[in-house]
Amino acid sequence: MRYINVAINLPVKNLFRQFTYALPPQFDYIGAGWRVIVPFARKTAEGFVVGEAGTNLPQPENYKEVQDVIGAEPWFDEEMLEAARWLAGYYMCPLAEAMRLFIPGKSSIKRHAVYGDDGKLLYYELENRLKEKTQSCYAITESGRQALAAGNNRAKAQMAALEILNGAARELTAKELEAEGISAAVLRTLVQKDWCSRSEQRVLRDSYAAKSSVKQSFNLTDEQQNAVDAVSKAIREKRQEPFLLQGVTGSGKTEVYLNLTAAALAEGRQVLVLVPEIALTAQIVKRYQSWFKGNIAVVHSKLSASERADVFYKIRTGEAQILIGVRSAVFAPFSNLGLVIIDEEHDQSYKQEERPCYHAREVALHRAAYFGVPVVLGSATPSIESYYDAIMKRYTHLRLTGRPNGQPLPKVQIVDMRKELQEKNFSVLSRTLQQELVRTAAAGEQAIVLLNRRGYSTFVMCRDCGETITCPHCAVALVYHEAGKAMRCHYCGNTMPIPDECPKCHSKRIKFFGTGTQKAQEQIAALPEVKVLRMDQDSTLRKFAHEEILSEFGSGKYNVLIGTQIVAKGHDIPNVTLVGVLSADSALNMPDFRASERAFSLLTQAAGRAGRGDKPGHVILQVYDADNRTVQLAAAQDYDTFAQEELERRRELNYPPYAAFLKITVWDKDEARANATAQELADFLQNVAKDMDGAEVYGPFAGIIGKVRDLYRVNVLVKSAEIGVFKQALWDSPYRDMKNVYFDVDPFNVL
């Protein structure tokens, strides 16, 4: 009897250990990487085999047996297992939790409770969660050929079907036969008579199968060609090397990606292309389909778990050589990876906020190192950490300094909204932006307006006592949404009707404050000749909603697109000549050391949507602090000066990339208990830090949203150039196994 170690696939934060099971003889063929069904804690659970347990075990008769095996082959190969182990260690999570990330939908099975007539639970029935779509296929048999040769005038339909099947060089699907006039009843009869055979073949779903376009390719500029040559050499030599491709907006980074992908495919290798947002997927897929039609798989959050499983199957089997996807695509089962491209590498969407709090860029770099392949990090505004790695020669720095068509970067104008208020303009739109929107529409051109808030108004407040209507489950103001005439929490989804009176002082003087995208849309729509379309989280709930909105806008049906930051990223619409950013400096007011970096990136990326065609671009930044250094540098689109000044500031304060952060969050329904646990943690970490130079422990302090879904959140933050010492101390402490203590390594949000 063999014994194996199994990581139990349950969404449990503190299940760090693996469990040993006996392997019955009928399953003796399996080993590390297989998925199995095992008894666990009076239930049945999915488990991942991570290795052999040996044979000299104490009391082997006490070990439970594996009940079943999932799939016909191991899900995890050696590289995927190694990547999961690294991820579990680096991001301080259980191995099973890391391995879950490699499973579409994070689990292969569903569990259904089965109850008796008395209402008592009998057992759990298991169902394969990742369902394969199949289709019936038919082929003529030898007896069918004999029947066809003999003929039968009374069974003309059957003979016609046999004639078609006999002339086919392969099995025909039921759909193909139906198109030839062959009914399902005739096929059933042929199968019953053994005149034809029926088999079930897997159908791989592809939501993008019909989306293709004419190939567009351009002569590369010298800078583009230099970038292609440098990375192509690393591809041919199978050399692990990170490249930072820093190119101004509209500089043709996608053209470089396409040429590099072609170079990797020429070597018989696979390519992973990561994009930060689902809204960018359709645009880059369209370009890739025009170059590599039929060789592409796409994965994003709007696909079902089974659809994602089909995508992973194509990559595992080599049916698709190119995978384009958002953050989760980094866990695809590549067998022959040759190149990784991370577009808009600075984007915070690559960092997962829920546990395990991994960063897709770091996972991609680790997997690429295993395969020995180059990684291209592309951005007009690289993350400060990546820029630092480039100037320190850890990354090869490639630059694209101009636009291929020779078009200059758009002219950027800063509008001081304080003066607008002084001059009695209380609209969310400055008079300059209103005039430019009207002019743009009249000229047959298009505009994009960015407002980083969704909803109709940002909050609802009593004008008598100042009470803000907040979510009863989260420490955050409710947002009014015009659709449904209700207030909604953007954290837990709870909705409430608008109160008739203040819940605190019972005043009837309830007023909406602030401006969301819905309200801004109304104000823009009131302008002459303007036809406005909105794109935010509320308007893009349906599958392919992003693509449909961008397609409508790109067709010219609408001349203004308004939305949250999603409209600022990566879109290439030649007729857009105007970009307006409302409350452009609002992100600078966040108490976070990355606030300036985020604001600069968002403003520069938004500005880059203008003037990408033959017409010059114009950008209007509406701000309340027109003299702010970050706003001024963003208007000048001077990333290098901004990055150098930001690095100097961070060096003085010992912030990343000169040190690292580790955030520990305590969640509890009891606020006092949460604070007490966090204080214990802070004291423990202070004791670790006392003999270390430059190490600092902050907190405990309430999260910026102090309560979510009735759970209080209290943080402790560690900053150190030797953060590994703190990670190891916590790993060896009782805090690691506490159910309500969570770790975020290299947090994007430190609050």
Side-chain angles (χ1 to χ4, degrees):
M1 181 77 77
R2 284 173 56 204
Y3 296 87
I4 55 174
N5 290 327
V6 177
I8 306 300
N9 183 12
L10 291 174
V12 179
K13 177 262 173 189
N14 61 337
L15 198 60
F16 281 89
R17 58 171 290 203
Q18 285 84 58
F19 297 84
T20 301
Y21 288 88
L23 194 62
Q26 66 268 31
F27 302 136
D28 195 51
Y29 59 91
I30 74 168
W34 286 80
R35 295 165 295 160
V36 292
I37 303 295
V38 294
F40 184 78
R42 298 191 300 276
K43 295 181 181 179
T44 305
E46 177 184 27
F48 307 129
V49 181
V50 296
E52 298 286 328
T55 54
N56 298 321
L57 298 174
Q59 299 179 312
E61 67 278 2
N62 291 337
Y63 289 96
K64 298 176 181 178
E65 292 188 350
V66 170
Q67 294 179 348
D68 204 351
V69 174
I70 302 174
E73 60 184 352
W75 186 272
F76 300 89
D77 61 17
E78 181 182 331
E79 183 273 330
M80 293 164 71
L81 281 170
E82 190 280 333
R85 290 190 179 99
W86 168 82
L87 194 145
Y90 187 84
Y91 289 105
M92 303 179 69
C93 69
L95 178 58
E97 197 163 53
M99 296 178 77
R100 281 166 57 81
L101 296 169
F102 291 83
I103 304 289
K106 298 186 179 180
S107 176
S108 307
I109 61 172
K110 285 182 182 179
R111 184 185 294 110
H112 301 287
V114 178
Y115 298 91
D117 295 336
D118 58 358
K120 292 184 179 179
L121 178 66
L122 294 174
Y123 60 93
Y124 286 96
E125 191 175 72
L126 300 182
E127 176 189 350
N128 192 336
R129 190 167 188 265
L130 306 178
K131 295 181 178 178
E132 297 179 1
K133 184 178 180 181
T134 61
Q135 62 183 355
S136 296
C137 295
Y138 298 86
I140 191 168
T141 63
E142 185 56 37
S143 58
R145 289 191 179 93
Q146 293 173 5
L148 178 61
N152 188 337
N153 291 330
R154 290 182 295 177
K156 291 181 179 179
Q158 295 174 29
M159 293 299 107
L162 290 174
E163 189 71 45
I164 293 170
L165 290 169
N166 191 50
R170 58 174 175 82
E171 289 184 309
L172 297 179
T173 67
K175 192 172 184 180
E176 289 172 325
L177 289 164
E178 183 183 358
E180 295 287 341
I182 308 303
S183 69
V186 168
L187 291 172
R188 282 196 300 271
T189 301
L190 294 179
V191 171
Q192 288 168 0
K193 291 181 175 181
D194 193 29
W195 288 355
C196 81
S197 62
R198 180 178 63 196
S199 63
E200 294 297 316
Q201 293 184 0
R202 183 171 184 176
V203 179
L204 298 175
R205 288 152 285 204
D206 185 357
S207 302
Y208 290 86
K211 303 177 189 301
S212 61
S213 59
V214 177
K215 179 178 179 179
Q216 288 182 312
S217 58
F218 307 94
N219 293 327
L220 298 179
T221 65
D222 290 343
E223 289 181 330
Q224 287 175 320
Q225 189 64 59
N226 290 338
V228 170
D229 290 345
V231 183
S232 295
K233 189 172 186 291
I235 293 171
R236 290 192 302 272
E237 296 174 357
K238 298 183 179 179
R239 186 176 71 250
Q240 193 277 326
E241 183 177 356
F243 293 85
L244 177 62
L245 180 63
Q246 181 185 344
V248 298
T249 54
S251 60
K253 291 186 287 294
T254 301
E255 196 71 18
V256 173
Y257 301 157
L258 291 164
N259 280 272
L260 290 175
T261 300
L265 264 58
E267 296 292 316
R269 310 294 293 278
Q270 293 176 305
V271 178
L272 169 62
V273 182
L274 293 179
V275 293
E277 296 271 7
I278 186 176
L280 302 182
T281 309
Q283 179 172 292
I284 200 164
V285 167
K286 188 176 180 180
R287 291 295 309 277
Y288 265 79
Q289 286 281 27
S290 72
W291 275 58
F292 312 104
K293 186 175 181 181
N295 205 13
I296 300 167
V298 183
V299 64
H300 54 70
S301 59
K302 296 293 185 182
L303 299 182
S304 68
S306 294
E307 286 175 317
R308 276 177 273 172
D310 283 354
V311 170
F312 279 22
Y313 178 84
K314 290 180 181 180
I315 295 299
R316 185 190 296 277
T317 60
E319 182 171 324
Q321 294 297 101
I322 303 165
L323 177 61
I324 301 173
V326 293
R327 181 175 67 218
S328 61
V330 77
F331 298 106
F334 288 97
S335 58
N336 191 25
L337 188 62
L339 171 67
V340 177
I341 296 168
I342 306 179
D343 191 30
E344 310 293 357
E345 69 86 27
H346 66 276
D347 199 282
Q348 68 182 47
S349 300
Y350 287 123
K351 180 71 160 75
Q352 175 155 293
E353 296 295 330
E354 305 83 32
R355 72 173 202 268
C357 302
Y358 70 89
H359 197 300
R361 180 184 61 218
E362 302 309 312
V363 179
L365 286 166
H366 183 86
R367 295 194 73 184
Y370 185 99
F371 284 101
V373 302
V375 178
V376 177
L377 308 171
S379 179
T381 55
S383 65
I384 294 298
E385 289 87 346
S386 293
Y387 184 79
Y388 179 74
D389 282 334
I391 63 176
M392 295 299 291
K393 309 299 183 184
R394 298 189 189 108
Y395 295 172
T396 299
H397 203 171
L398 306 171
R399 290 179 179 268
L400 306 177
T401 58
R403 292 180 166 181
N405 59 3
Q407 189 67 258
L409 292 173
K411 181 186 75 173
V412 181
Q413 179 180 359
I414 298 173
V415 174
D416 191 337
M417 293 302 288
R418 293 171 299 181
K419 293 181 180 178
E420 295 284 320
L421 290 172
Q422 291 169 4
E423 295 170 4
K424 307 301 181 183
N425 176 23
F426 301 110
S427 169
V428 68
L429 307 174
S430 65
R431 287 167 299 182
T432 302
L433 182 55
Q434 291 181 50
Q435 292 165 4
E436 283 301 296
L437 285 169
V438 172
R439 184 202 62 76
T440 300
E445 299 167 3
Q446 292 175 291
I448 291 176
V449 177
L450 165 67
L451 173 62
N452 202 22
R453 298 169 182 164
R454 62 189 173 99
Y456 192 85
S457 296
T458 51
F459 62 97
V460 181
M461 190 177 78
C462 173
R463 284 180 290 178
D464 285 342
C465 73
E467 177 77 0
T468 299
I469 311 300
T470 60
C471 174
H473 309 290
C474 308
V476 65
L478 291 169
V479 177
Y480 172 61
H481 286 256
E482 182 72 6
K485 306 289 184 183
M487 299 182 296
R488 184 187 307 159
C489 175
H490 285 180
Y491 284 82
C492 71
N494 178 56
T495 58
M496 291 176 58
I498 303 163
D500 295 325
E501 61 180 35
C502 172
K504 184 176 181 180
C505 72
H506 305 292
S507 166
K508 302 287 187 181
R509 290 161 54 84
I510 301 290
K511 186 178 180 182
F512 304 138
F513 287 84
T515 302
T517 46
Q518 293 179 27
K519 189 172 183 179
Q521 179 184 15
E522 284 187 4
Q523 294 188 16
I524 293 172
L527 298 173
E529 296 189 52
V530 167
K531 297 178 181 178
V532 62
L533 186 64
R534 175 168 56 91
M535 185 164 74
D536 57 18
Q537 190 172 331
D538 297 315
S539 65
T540 55
L541 296 176
R542 292 178 296 103
K543 188 176 181 179
F544 298 122
H546 298 86
E547 184 177 352
E548 291 167 6
I549 290 172
L550 289 171
S551 177
E552 283 194 291
F553 183 61
S555 71
K557 184 178 179 181
Y558 297 87
N559 48 28
V560 177
L561 176 66
I562 183 172
T564 50
Q565 59 180 326
I566 200 169
V567 304
K569 299 178 181 180
H571 309 303
D572 189 350
I573 301 172
N575 198 38
V576 171
T577 58
L578 174 66
V579 168
V581 185
L582 313 185
S583 302
D585 53 347
S586 61
L588 290 167
N589 300 320
M590 292 292 291
D592 189 329
F593 80 96
R594 295 187 196 273
S596 294
E597 179 183 0
R598 288 174 179 156
F600 181 92
S601 174
L602 184 62
L603 297 184
T604 305
Q605 294 287 338
R609 300 315 106 207
R612 298 173 77 94
D614 299 328
K615 303 170 186 175
H618 182 198
V619 180
I620 296 172
L621 305 181
Q622 296 186 176
V623 300
Y624 289 89
D625 183 5
D627 299 322
N628 183 274
R629 178 66 172 166
T630 299
V631 172
Q632 293 287 338
L633 288 173
Q637 298 175 75
D638 185 355
Y639 173 83
D640 286 277
T641 299
F642 168 78
Q644 289 158 13
E645 291 182 4
E646 182 70 7
L647 279 169
E648 179 59 26
R649 184 179 72 89
R650 293 194 189 183
R651 187 189 63 78
E652 292 173 357
L653 297 171
N654 198 32
Y655 283 162
Y658 302 99
F661 277 117
L662 169 63
K663 183 170 73 172
I664 305 98
T665 303
V666 179
W667 294 66
D668 206 302
K669 288 185 177 181
D670 185 284
E671 185 176 14
R673 193 166 56 207
N675 280 306
T677 303
Q679 186 61 59
E680 287 180 22
L681 264 164
D683 293 342
F684 171 80
L685 294 166
Q686 288 282 10
N687 191 54
V688 176
K690 65 182 180 182
D691 297 323
M692 298 175 64
D693 291 336
E696 296 182 71
V697 178
Y698 306 96
F701 56 91
I704 193 166
I705 307 297
K707 185 175 73 170
V708 175
R709 295 183 175 90
D710 294 319
L711 291 171
Y712 292 93
R713 303 196 295 183
V714 185
N715 295 327
V716 177
L717 192 66
V718 181
K719 181 180 70 174
S720 174
E722 301 175 84
I723 205 70
V725 175
F726 292 91
K727 289 167 66 175
Q728 189 61 53
L730 287 166
W731 192 265
D732 296 335
S733 76
Y735 299 110
R736 185 196 74 167
D737 295 329
M738 293 179 67
K739 294 181 179 179
N740 64 332
V741 175
Y742 298 92
F743 306 121
D744 188 354
V745 179
D746 304 328
F748 215 86
N749 296 298
V750 297
L751 301 176

